[in-house]
Amino acid sequence: MRHCRLLIPLMLVVVLSAFVLGACGTRGLIDYKNEEWGYTVRYPYSWKLEVSTDGKVCVGTAPSKKGSFRIDVVEGLSARDVAQRWLMSIGTAYKEVAMLENKPSGDKFWDWYLAYEYETEYYGTFHGEAFFKQVRGRVYKIDTLAEKELYSKYPFPVIVSSFKVTTKE
C-alpha cells in the first residue's frame, strides 16, 4: 500500500511532463526576423528557410517537402486586392483551383482570409490557407500549404499565430 502512495504521484509527474512537452508544440522553433520589411515569424528548426534577395519573399519548407509556408510583403494594394492576385497566380499555375473562402477574417490581427484547394497531376490535392495583414501601405501575407490529407499534421497554427509585424501601425 505504501508503494502505491509513492507510485501515484510519480506517475502523475511523468504523465503531466509528457503531456506538457508533447502538447507544447513550440519546442524546436526558430525565430526569423526581417528587419527590412518589419516582421518576425517562428518556424520549426528542421524546416528549410529561403529568403529572396530583396527580402520581400520568405519560404519555409518542411523536410518532407509536402508542407510549406510563404510570406510576401506587397506595397500599394489593399489586403483584399493582394488576396485576389494571390488566388489568380495560383489559378494560373494550377488551373483547377477551388476557392473555399475569400473574406474579411474576423480575427483581431488578420484583415483578410483565403482558403483554397487545387489538384496536381502527380502529387494529389493540396490545401492552402492565406492570411493578410494591412499596415501602413503594406500587406503582409502568410500562406500555408500542404497535401490535403496531411495539412492538419503540420504546425501551421503555431507558425501563423507567431507572425508579428514589427513596424508601427
Side-chain angles (χ1 to χ4, degrees), residues 47-103:
W47 288 34
K48 180 180 180 183
L49 192 72
E50 297 179 73
V51 181
S52 65
T53 54
D54 67 359
K56 285 187 171 185
V57 179
C58 172
V59 177
T61 307
S64 68
K65 297 187 171 128
K66 295 181 180 184
S68 65
F69 70 90
R70 175 180 168 142
I71 299 169
D72 289 272
V73 181
V74 180
E75 297 180 284
L77 295 172
S78 70
R80 181 176 185 253
D81 289 340
V82 173
Q84 302 306 340
R85 288 177 184 221
W86 183 240
L87 192 57
M88 285 189 301
S89 70
I90 296 165
T92 300
Y94 296 101
K95 310 290 184 237
E96 299 286 328
V97 176
M99 180 180 60
L100 305 175
E101 293 188 63
N102 188 10
K103 63 182 185 178

Side-chain angles (χ1 to χ4, degrees), residues 47 60-62 64-70 94 100 116-120 123-130 143-157 159:
W47 288 34
T61 307
S64 68
K65 297 187 171 128
K66 295 181 180 184
S68 65
F69 70 90
R70 175 180 168 142
Y94 296 101
L100 305 175
Y116 59 91
E117 290 180 355
Y118 62 83
E119 189 149 344
T120 64
Y123 303 108
T125 303
F126 279 76
H127 177 79
E129 296 182 15
D143 180 70
T144 57
L145 179 69
E147 285 186 71
K148 184 177 178 180
E149 289 75 29
L150 299 175
Y151 188 88
S152 64
K153 304 254 186 240
Y154 288 97
F156 295 134
I159 294 168

